[in-house]
Amino acid sequence: MPYEFTVIFGYTGKDRPLALFDDFTPARRKLHVDDYLEGPYLIDPFFLASIGDTAPGIWRLKDIAPDRFYQGEYYRSYYAKTGLAEEVAFLIDLDTEFQIVVSLMRTEKKFSKAEMRVLSEIQPIVEALCRRHWSGVDKSGPGKTSDILNQRVADAFNTIGDGALTDREGQIVELTLRGHSSEAIGRLLSISPGTVRIHRRNVYSKLRINSQGELFSLFLDTIGAG
């Protein structure tokens, strides 16, 4: 079945992903790979699925994304620039610590239900090929960063504002940037949506910002600091 682009990442926990393969043009590679690896991957639904409880298989982005993903700043400031009509991906567990995501991208039309059924049927073949090709990959190879940078990236949500935020406020920042609504954040943290909104106002006040766009910029700046 036709699609324009392929990109394959390997994930080991919250470490910087391994860029295993892509067939992008140079300009697209900068956006989908180079820029992605600088920090946006931390709020990518496929990355989060790879380290979460999402079952292996073929998934549409919209089926694993948070409820407000398409209204969130990650989508507006980063993902929308891709111009994709749809991205679907095979989630493959090579072992308990290493996951591979094989993304298929279209710029013109979404994958049909029939096409998704075909992709689901060939999942075992794709998985077997990935195991054969990447089971011995060096997880500490050139795609990795130093332990210091890995820790800074992993802790970016909590260190925005040079430690001015509480742990709870850091959680609110992380879930907000991932694209969760106040209602969804409330359910995840067992607090009311109103309390979530109060925390968010306090975050904006402490950071002296007024929008989620500014929050996203601070998140990227925090990763790049140091």
Side-chain angles (χ1 to χ4, degrees):
M1 66 187 67
Y3 62 93
E4 283 87 349
F5 306 110
T6 311
V7 63
I8 304 176
F9 285 108
Y11 297 107
T12 306
K14 289 188 176 182
D15 286 349
R16 193 172 190 245
L18 292 169
L20 300 175
F21 173 83
D22 72 84
D23 53 12
F24 295 126
T25 62
R28 274 196 171 271
R29 190 179 200 282
K30 182 181 186 306
L31 177 63
H32 287 280
V33 180
D34 298 340
D35 291 350
Y36 177 80
L37 292 176
E38 290 305 311
Y41 75 85
L42 279 169
I43 39 184
D44 170 32
F46 284 124
F47 163 73
L48 296 170
S50 77
I51 63 172
D53 298 326
T54 305
I58 184 73
W59 291 90
R60 296 181 191 267
L61 175 64
K62 70 180 183 65
D63 291 334
I64 61 172
D67 60 340
R68 294 288 175 84
F69 173 74
Y70 293 97
Q71 291 79 45
E73 197 57 38
Y74 171 78
Y75 180 80
R76 291 196 297 265
S77 296
Y78 174 75
Y79 196 87
K81 295 178 182 177
T82 65
L84 296 176
E86 185 167 43
E87 177 181 1
V88 303
F90 294 99
L91 270 60
I92 299 166
D93 290 341
L94 259 64
D95 56 46
T96 57
E97 297 181 350
F98 189 50
Q99 289 72 40
I100 282 181
V101 175
V102 181
S103 290
L104 316 179
M105 301 174 174
R106 276 184 175 171
T107 59
E108 296 296 329
K109 63 177 182 178
K110 296 182 178 181
F111 290 82
S112 68
K113 291 182 179 179
E115 288 173 326
M116 291 298 290
R117 284 196 296 271
V118 172
L119 291 173
S120 181
E121 290 169 1
I122 67 170
Q123 158 78 12
I125 299 172
V126 176
E127 180 173 342
L129 290 169
C130 287
R131 287 184 181 280
R132 181 180 180 87
H133 195 70
W134 281 298
S135 59
V137 70
D138 182 4
K139 301 180 184 67
S140 61
K144 302 289 282 183
T145 55
S146 68
D147 291 341
I148 293 174
L149 180 55
N150 278 333
Q151 189 62 46
R152 187 167 73 241
V153 169
D155 292 344
F157 300 110
N158 300 100
T159 56
I160 289 176
D162 296 322
L165 305 183
T166 66
D167 290 344
R168 176 65 84 192
E169 288 167 348
Q171 291 175 317
I172 300 293
V173 167
E174 180 173 356
L175 293 170
T176 296
L177 289 175
R178 286 180 178 178
H180 291 280
S181 66
S182 295
E183 290 73 17
I185 295 173
R187 288 192 297 271
L188 289 168
L189 300 182
S190 299
I191 58 179
S192 72
T195 300
V196 172
R197 296 185 186 98
I198 291 171
H199 280 304
R200 188 179 293 130
R201 284 198 296 270
N202 290 339
V203 167
Y204 284 14
S205 176
K206 287 182 178 181
L207 300 180
R208 299 181 182 179
I209 59 175
N210 297 298
S211 70
Q212 193 179 136
E214 292 177 282
L215 182 62
F216 185 72
S217 295
L218 280 176
F219 165 67
L220 296 180
D221 289 344
T222 300
I223 294 172

